[in-house]
Amino acid sequence: MAHSEDPFYLVRADVLPEAIQKTIEAKRMLETGEAHTVQEAVEKAGISRSSFYKYRDSVFPFNAMMKEKIITLSLTLEHRSGVLSSVLGYLASLGCNVLTIHQTIPLQGVANVALSVDTAQVTKRVTEITEGLQELPGVRSAILVASGE
């Protein structure tokens, strides 16, 4: 079992060992109700129960690790009235709680904004939040730069 001080790694799914990929599949089946018991999930995934129990508490989808955390976003906004307001309104509509805002002085018609946001009440994935921000008028870029509790 992983301890809080153990490092985390971001690894592409296609390079994970088969046992870990099958553990992820079994966990997904249990979460979605496709399988009702561990035995049913491991049989469908083609993995032993012992392998499932070995890895289940140490492997998570990337977005699951980011859920219910404080995130830091970096935005590049056009220097126009209402752009930052629309960003804040969008985040509020998702249930985000904006903790800090830092905006640079606009240069060449754009300003950089760093936001610390509590996503504990948000149902969307962080990638969906950044994609939604990028669709707002006046938002040139929205990037996740940090995630933590």
Side-chain angles (χ1 to χ4, degrees), residues 85-94 124 128-129 131-133 136:
S85 179
S86 69
V87 166
L88 298 176
Y90 172 76
L91 293 172
S93 74
L94 298 177
K124 288 188 178 233
E128 293 175 295
I129 295 170
E131 289 167 0
L133 285 167
L136 295 174

Side-chain angles (χ1 to χ4, degrees), residues 61-72:
F62 178 65
N63 287 319
M65 290 298 295
M66 296 175 60
K67 187 157 176 58
E68 299 186 3
K69 303 223 185 232
I70 295 171
I71 62 172
T72 302

Side-chain angles (χ1 to χ4, degrees), residues 10-68:
L10 185 61
V11 180
R12 278 192 352 255
D14 64 332
V15 300
L16 291 173
E18 185 178 4
I20 293 176
Q21 290 181 17
K22 289 182 176 186
T23 298
I24 293 167
E25 179 62 15
K27 286 178 67 171
R28 184 198 61 76
M29 285 188 267
L30 288 167
E31 290 170 6
T32 63
E34 188 177 328
H36 301 290
T37 65
V38 170
Q39 185 62 40
E40 183 182 1
V42 297
E43 285 175 4
K44 286 182 176 183
I47 188 173
S48 69
R49 285 173 58 99
S50 63
S51 290
F52 174 79
Y53 284 117
K54 178 179 180 180
Y55 297 118
R56 74 171 182 174
D57 293 330
S58 298
V59 60
F60 307 93
F62 178 65
N63 287 319
M65 290 298 295
M66 296 175 60
K67 187 157 176 58
E68 299 186 3

